Amino acid sequence: MPNPPLTERQQRTLTFLRDYLQAQGLPPTLREIADALGFPSHSSAQACVESLVRKGMLERSPQHRGLRLSGDHGRVTRAAALAALPLIGRVAAGSPILAEENIEAQLEVEPALFHPRADYLLRVVGLSMRDAGILDGDLLAVHRTHTATDGQIVVARLDDEVTVKRLKHERDRLLLLPENPDFDPIEVDPRRHEFAIEGRYVGIIRRA
């Protein structure tokens, strides 16, 4: 009997659950699902999980965080589980970077080609990172993390803008450095700016 069709949101949730189970050995909480996939609320994550249970992709179990992959869905092939990454275009002000409204497409790219593995692709706009080989229109492979070390290229949120820059700590201040002399460094002042690291650059895809 063929598998019931999944919506894009359900497929992303199933893939996240599978990857989380493989990495952690237990299912994620609804909060972790909502945060990772940009759902607007826990109830949205709950509704998506319930849909996957009804479609037979997930099963309830009596254990803590009682979810598990059902039957053959827990043994899907590597290609089915790992062969797509969400492509993020323009990020809406104030929205989580992986919110559905920011996702342009799901591209057939193997996340494990990158180290650490990529969680999403970000479309590059502009030439501020030109001298690092990152050009306008490139697809930046990003490992989702909220921490980075000095000198790494990061995807950073500064107030309502998302930017790609090199991170630099300098005494008592934090700088976001371009790789193009035509652009000025950005100094992050925590008294005036809301700042967060959204991910770390792990590779690039350039379409012909």
Side-chain angles (χ1 to χ4, degrees):
M1 183 175 180
N3 293 336
L6 300 181
T7 66
E8 181 180 307
R9 172 181 284 196
Q10 290 165 356
Q11 184 60 61
R12 289 198 297 123
T13 301
L14 185 64
T15 299
F16 174 72
L17 281 161
R18 182 184 297 118
D19 290 348
Y20 193 102
L21 277 163
Q22 290 174 346
Q24 305 295 333
L26 77 169
T29 64
L30 290 175
R31 176 184 292 277
E32 288 167 331
I33 295 172
D35 289 349
L37 299 179
F39 289 169
S41 66
H42 296 174
S43 61
S44 298
Q46 176 73 38
C48 193
V49 167
E50 293 299 337
S51 296
L52 289 169
V53 172
R54 288 194 299 272
K55 290 184 176 183
M57 300 293 183
L58 296 176
E59 294 175 353
R60 295 287 185 190
S61 65
Q63 291 88 359
H64 177 57
R65 302 193 191 186
L67 285 175
R68 64 188 178 197
L69 297 169
S70 62
D72 291 339
H73 303 302
R75 299 185 293 274
V76 294
T77 65
R78 183 172 180 268
L82 301 176
L85 286 173
L87 170 60
I88 308 299
R90 182 173 178 82
V91 178
S95 69
I97 202 163
L98 285 170
E100 281 197 60
E101 62 265 29
N102 301 329
I103 297 175
E104 292 185 356
Q106 297 281 340
L107 296 189
E108 294 184 358
V109 177
E110 171 58 73
L113 289 174
F114 307 97
H115 183 75
R117 58 179 289 137
D119 294 299
Y120 60 92
L121 302 170
L122 180 68
R123 188 183 300 281
V124 176
V125 177
L127 292 170
S128 67
M129 297 300 288
R130 179 195 63 195
D131 294 347
I134 300 172
L135 305 180
D136 184 62
D138 285 349
L139 305 183
L140 201 75
V142 184
H143 173 67
R144 191 168 183 266
T145 178
H146 297 303
T147 61
T149 58
D150 201 53
Q152 290 183 326
I153 295 175
V154 300
V155 176
R157 185 186 296 272
L158 189 63
D159 295 328
D160 283 335
E161 296 294 323
V162 170
T163 186
V164 178
K165 295 290 184 290
R166 192 176 297 279
L167 185 69
K168 182 173 179 60
H169 296 88
E170 190 174 272
R171 295 187 180 179
D172 57 349
R173 64 178 183 163
L174 182 66
L175 297 174
L176 297 174
L177 302 179
E179 292 282 351
N180 183 334
D182 294 334
F183 293 79
D184 294 326
I186 300 171
E187 182 173 349
V188 179
D189 184 344
R191 297 167 298 181
R192 296 188 295 114
H193 301 298
E194 292 186 12
F195 173 77
I197 292 172
E198 297 279 3
R200 180 158 61 87
Y201 161 73
V202 293
I204 203 164
I205 297 172
R206 181 166 298 149
R207 291 174 162 181

